[in-house]
Amino acid sequence: MPEISPRVGLVGGTFNPIHLGHLMIGQEAMTARGLDRVLFLPNGIPPHRAEASVDDEHRWAMVTLATCSNPRFFPSRFELDRPEVSYTVDTVSALRQANPEWRLFFITGADAMRYQWKELDRILGMLEAMIIVSRPGYDQPDLERRIAAMSLENADRFDLLEAPGLEISSTMLRERLAAGESVRYLVPEGVEQYIEKHRLYGYGGTP
Ligand code: ATP
Ligand code: MG
């Protein structure tokens, strides 16, 4: 039966490279909040950091590989193909315009509230909820304090979700790869093979 108003989760990120932490927050949010599908949107030019260290098409290929085995996960080029900086407010607004029947949920890790979000209140107003998933190293009281300090009109749309802690970051993976260390069991198998095949992040292959 076609979904009339699908509940769609969005996971944005640099995904440089995508890892099990990213997939886990998508899955946990999907099951805990009854989402119909989750889109993974690698960003083009992220607003708060230097450009990614590998080609956009490699990041895209890895997101595709990582999501292909889950029938409810989909990679999206929505941000990647935009020529300008990807602000979440613009992405959410454009996605809503293109798909007015979608009910949107933004899914992010607990580190996200340490960044400045352009027009956060407006983003929240367009979402059913912003699901903030726990992340090792970012404690909940701190997160709640930060949220309270922002005194947003739509603060009730924050939805904090406890999930198993996976202490994985793309930074850690890039460092390991540059040092010639394996990332097996930290990224999906296909992503590991892709990194090895294309010698990404300075990885020289398994000893
Ligand atoms: P980097 O170290 O390059 O910043 P990252 O691992 O933080 O990489 P991003 O692409 O920056 O990955 O993150 C995309 C989204 O995934 C963000 O919302 C981030 O909070 C979330 N996320 C990433 N890793 C985890 C994790 N281990 N647990 C929970 N959330 C995570
Ligand atoms: Mg990050």
Side-chain angles (χ1 to χ4, degrees):
M1 207 173 70
E3 297 148 352
I4 296 161
S5 308
R7 293 162 69 82
V8 179
L10 309 173
V11 182
T14 315
F15 303 130
N16 189 27
I18 190 162
H19 56 69
L20 296 189
H22 299 130
L23 299 168
M24 181 278 288
I25 65 172
Q27 179 68 27
E28 290 293 310
M30 187 168 75
T31 49
R33 302 299 182 249
L35 307 184
D36 296 300
R37 67 184 96 121
V38 177
L39 311 187
F40 290 78
L41 305 106
N43 48 29
I45 310 164
H48 53 72
R49 62 166 72 196
E51 272 188 71
S53 61
V54 305
D55 193 272
D56 282 356
E57 293 309 321
H58 282 317
R59 289 189 295 121
W60 169 250
M62 291 188 281
V63 171
T64 302
L65 285 168
T67 51
C68 69
S69 62
N70 187 324
R72 291 173 184 266
F73 280 6
F74 298 91
S76 165
R77 295 188 65 94
F78 203 82
E79 288 201 340
L80 203 59
D81 288 342
R82 289 166 81 104
E84 69 277 28
V85 170
S86 308
Y87 286 107
T88 301
V89 65
D90 302 325
T91 301
V92 172
S93 156
L95 275 173
R96 250 171 64 104
Q97 254 171 37
N99 311 279
E101 73 284 12
W102 286 6
R103 287 182 283 163
L104 291 173
F105 296 76
F106 199 86
I107 304 163
T108 176
D111 55 305
M113 285 306 120
R114 304 226 171 160
Y115 303 123
Q116 286 288 329
W117 289 66
K118 186 183 163 202
E119 298 181 67
L120 183 54
D121 228 352
R122 209 180 124 215
I123 299 174
L124 290 165
M126 294 187 280
L127 298 172
E128 302 293 314
M130 181 176 272
I131 304 172
I132 305 187
V133 186
S134 56
R135 181 171 189 178
Y138 300 91
D139 65 69
Q140 180 139 339
D142 176 64
L143 180 62
E144 284 168 356
R145 259 195 312 277
R146 281 172 194 270
I147 288 175
M150 289 187 279
S151 6
L152 301 166
E153 206 171 302
N154 295 310
D156 59 332
R157 303 219 176 152
F158 283 116
D159 176 2
L160 308 192
L161 179 64
E162 276 294 323
L166 291 186
E167 209 163 349
I168 309 173
S169 72
S170 299
T171 303
M172 178 253 262
L173 298 177
R174 291 192 300 273
E175 286 168 3
R176 286 175 79 126
L177 289 162
E181 293 165 17
S182 165
V183 294
R184 183 169 286 180
Y185 310 126
L186 302 174
V187 301
E189 209 172 313
V191 172
E192 185 203 347
Q193 289 163 352
Y194 188 92
I195 290 171
E196 191 162 332
K197 175 173 173 179
H198 295 279
R199 299 272 187 263
L200 302 184
Y201 308 104
Y203 188 56
T206 30

